[in-house]
Amino acid sequence: MGKIGIVGSGVAGLSAAVHLAAKGHNVTVFETNHEPGGKLHSFALGGYRFDAGPSLFTMPHLLDSVFEAAGKNPRKYYNYKRIDPGCHYFWEDGTRFHAHADKDAFAEAAAKTFNTSAAAVKKYFAQAFELYDITEEVFLKSSLHKMSTYTKLSTVKSMLQLYKARLFTTMHDVNATMFKDEKLIQLFDRYATYNGSDPYRAPGTLTVIPTLEYRWGTFLPEGGMHTITKALYQLAKDVGVRFHFDEKVESIQTKEGVATGILTAKGNYHFDKVVSNMDVVPTYSRLLKEHTPPKSYLKQERSSSALIFYWGMHRKFEELGLHNIFWSENYQEEFRQLFEERNIYHDPTVYVNITSKHEAADAPADAENWFVMVNAPYIAGQDWTQLREIARKAILEKLSRVLGIDLEPHIVAEEFLDPPRIESQTSSYLGSLYGTSSNSNMAAFFRHPNFSQSIKNLYFCGGSVHPGGGIPLCLLSGKLVSQLTG
């Protein structure tokens, strides 16, 4: 077994570290920040605790599998609970829908709220689940960039059914074919945002995404989302992974086309193999300056970003749950503004996450911690101070209007995260959350592979490479690296 150095300790980097160490490799992780987690960290503000990044936990079996690969019991490291209803939806006309995580309960409730039948919704879920089963082996569990993937019997079986993958129609068009009710179409269109894409341009293949919630459910780790980072970090240490915090990597060392080590301000470290959990663009531009980057990957359209306000609210709102969505009245224009104008629409869809609904310690008594997010464009020369102020005003007006209360006087603590901060804090190129968007029918095939095609012994994991962003895919990304390195 060899010595492996990993740049970055995001979810994918931690997953890769554990899988590699479990195989007997000597693993060292280098992290610029003083703690692990990348986007998945937390902070305290005025008596309130906030998860700073990802707020949705699905497919807990994938997280459990990282512990099981190391021979550990995941319940010794973290626990979680199922959340139902999974999400609360609010429209301007007063329509409210509490989406049960159970698919059948969702279907029955949808039939009472929208112009649809329970049978139509169940058919939609059945097709989504089938699509997941068809694509899982090829798109999630294998490298799309290795010829050996396409010689496996399981891959051949999946490829023979790819005509069902809806590659050549848009996600919105699929949803509009399945349903007549504009609100229900909007509800299912929003799943494109789970990988930072536009449902009016992204392929119908993305209708697979609801599978994550309606086959397995929506969950919350005890202690909040940051518990995932803490559990993976403790696991990594328990299996012998070493960490160097506050140690910024200056370059990935190579010799004659082979990765040989990592250079930091504190030393030059030799490794047999190197893994970058940093966004692939800055990996090339900062750490591999002497090498020509693969332009076909780097010029792809970036995914959307986010503008987040963290508000300590000095009261409770009984009508809200853990996950809440307040809809824009013109969803298509919101995405046009996002991806064509690089702007935040004046009537944005607003997501509000409140962990204190289930974790009382996250807020003082009779108070709530609000994580308030709108989709934002990646960095493209905008005046972010002005854009942030305009968006904040629009968000407050929308939430106050729908909830029937002036919200601003109840905000007693506040912080924000915008694309420039996301880029500076996590090295996410242009502040995009998921690397590249999926706004083309072949986007999944064009993501950067988990290995370098020009530098031997160099590998990549994380949201900017295959299979994509979000906690489940990042966990799989780390596992794929461990399989590729041997």
Side-chain angles (χ1 to χ4, degrees):
M1 293 292 115
K3 293 176 62 178
I4 299 179
I6 298 179
V7 182
S9 63
V11 168
L14 293 171
S15 172
V18 171
H19 281 293
L20 289 166
K23 288 187 170 184
H25 293 289
N26 185 325
V27 182
T28 303
V29 178
F30 296 84
E31 172 58 54
T32 299
N33 298 307
H34 64 275
E35 61 182 5
K39 298 181 182 73
L40 190 56
H41 66 280
S42 68
F43 67 93
L45 180 69
Y48 297 83
R49 190 200 72 85
F50 296 93
D51 285 311
S55 57
L56 177 66
F57 183 38
T58 60
M59 303 177 77
H61 60 278
L62 292 182
L63 180 57
D64 282 356
S65 70
V66 181
F67 295 83
E68 291 160 358
K72 302 292 186 180
N73 179 358
R75 300 290 77 78
K76 298 292 185 181
Y77 291 83
Y78 83 106
N79 286 284
Y80 58 88
K81 52 190 171 185
R82 187 184 182 98
I83 303 299
D84 191 59
C87 190
H88 302 263
Y89 294 99
F90 300 81
W91 282 267
E92 290 272 3
D93 66 0
T95 301
R96 297 186 176 189
F97 180 63
H98 306 297
H100 292 285
D102 176 80
K103 61 180 177 57
D104 293 330
F106 178 102
E108 297 297 335
K112 295 177 182 177
T113 305
F114 307 111
N115 179 24
T116 191
S117 66
V121 177
K122 291 177 182 180
K123 179 180 178 180
Y124 183 86
F125 285 139
Q127 291 182 357
F129 295 178
E130 180 187 25
L131 183 54
Y132 181 92
D133 292 336
I134 290 170
T135 57
E136 179 185 28
E137 185 66 34
V138 179
F139 290 93
L140 301 184
K141 292 186 175 181
S142 305
S143 170
L144 290 178
H145 307 85
K146 287 286 189 180
M147 187 56 65
S148 58
T149 295
Y150 301 94
T151 61
K152 294 189 296 185
L153 180 59
S154 57
T155 302
V156 173
K157 289 181 178 179
S158 293
M159 297 295 284
L160 290 174
Q161 299 184 79
L162 280 184
Y163 68 91
K164 300 178 181 179
R166 301 163 172 171
L167 282 168
F168 302 104
T169 186
T170 69
M171 184 182 195
H172 172 77
D173 285 345
V174 171
N175 291 334
T177 299
M178 296 291 292
F179 303 110
K180 296 179 180 179
D181 193 294
E182 292 296 329
K183 290 184 175 67
L184 189 57
I185 293 169
Q186 186 178 38
L187 190 156
F188 284 116
D189 277 354
R190 90 171 182 91
Y191 285 95
T193 66
Y194 280 36
N195 69 2
S197 301
D198 175 354
Y200 300 91
R201 293 169 57 202
T205 313
L206 295 195
T207 55
V208 70
I209 296 176
T211 303
L212 277 62
E213 293 180 27
Y214 297 105
R215 175 179 280 183
W216 292 289
T218 299
F219 303 86
L220 179 68
E222 293 180 4
M225 295 294 290
H226 187 228
T227 296
I228 294 172
T229 291
K230 292 190 287 187
L232 285 171
Y233 174 53
Q234 185 60 55
L235 172 65
K237 290 194 296 181
D238 288 349
V239 295
V241 177
R242 289 185 294 277
F243 289 84
H244 291 218
F245 294 110
D246 297 307
E247 189 163 353
K248 184 178 181 179
V249 173
E250 296 181 349
S251 69
I252 294 173
Q253 302 291 84
T254 64
K255 183 177 181 180
E256 298 178 353
V258 179
T260 59
I262 287 173
L263 176 67
T264 76
K266 297 181 181 180
N268 194 341
Y269 304 85
H270 168 76
F271 293 106
D272 300 307
K273 297 176 182 179
V274 175
V275 179
S276 178
N277 181 209
M278 180 188 284
D279 187 303
V280 69
V281 175
T283 296
Y284 281 105
S285 64
R286 299 180 197 172
L287 308 185
L288 294 163
K289 293 179 180 180
E290 297 180 359
H291 295 267
T292 302
K295 294 180 181 179
S296 60
Y297 296 112
L298 305 189
K299 69 181 181 181
Q300 293 177 45
E301 180 186 48
R302 308 305 294 178
S303 80
S304 60
S305 185
L307 172 61
I308 305 171
F309 293 99
Y310 307 95
W311 289 337
M313 303 297 290
H314 193 52
R315 62 157 287 178
K316 288 190 174 183
F317 295 79
E318 299 303 326
E319 65 267 53
L320 301 182
L322 174 65
H323 302 293
N324 310 274
I325 298 286
F326 297 78
W327 292 107
S328 167
E329 290 201 277
N330 191 335
Y331 211 38
Q332 187 167 8
E333 179 61 18
E334 180 177 5
F335 282 97
R336 193 191 73 79
Q337 290 281 330
L338 187 64
F339 284 101
E340 294 183 23
E341 303 296 330
R342 310 284 190 263
N343 190 28
I344 298 176
Y345 186 42
H346 69 81
D347 176 35
T349 296
V350 183
Y351 166 70
V352 180
N353 173 258
I354 311 171
T355 60
S356 60
K357 292 288 185 181
H358 298 273
E359 295 291 328
D362 286 354
D366 299 319
E368 293 178 346
N369 62 334
W370 282 29
F371 169 113
V372 182
M373 182 182 78
V374 296
N375 293 315
Y378 59 80
I379 298 169
Q382 302 95 330
D383 181 338
W384 284 102
T385 298
Q386 181 184 54
L387 198 55
R388 187 174 67 248
E389 291 174 355
I390 293 172
R392 183 182 186 277
K393 183 174 183 292
I395 291 167
L396 277 171
E397 288 178 351
K398 186 178 196 68
L399 295 178
S400 297
R401 188 167 60 245
V402 175
L403 294 174
I405 184 174
D406 183 6
L407 284 180
E408 184 143 29
H410 298 283
I411 301 173
V412 296
E414 181 169 1
E415 188 52 271
F416 73 88
L417 183 66
D418 61 4
R421 283 190 173 184
I422 291 171
E423 182 177 51
S424 65
Q425 293 175 11
T426 67
S427 295
S428 299
Y429 181 56
L430 301 181
S432 62
L433 293 180
Y434 306 96
T436 57
S437 73
S438 293
N439 290 337
S440 69
N441 55 7
M442 301 301 287
F445 293 95
F446 294 148
R447 294 188 77 87
H448 193 287
N450 300 104
F451 60 94
S452 172
Q453 295 171 313
S454 60
I455 304 172
K456 188 178 180 181
N457 294 343
L458 176 61
Y459 302 86
F460 300 89
C461 63
S464 69
V465 299
H466 179 73
I471 292 173
L473 298 191
C474 283
L475 292 170
L476 291 173
S477 179
K479 183 178 181 179
L480 276 171
V481 163
S482 74
Q483 294 170 347
L484 292 168
T485 56

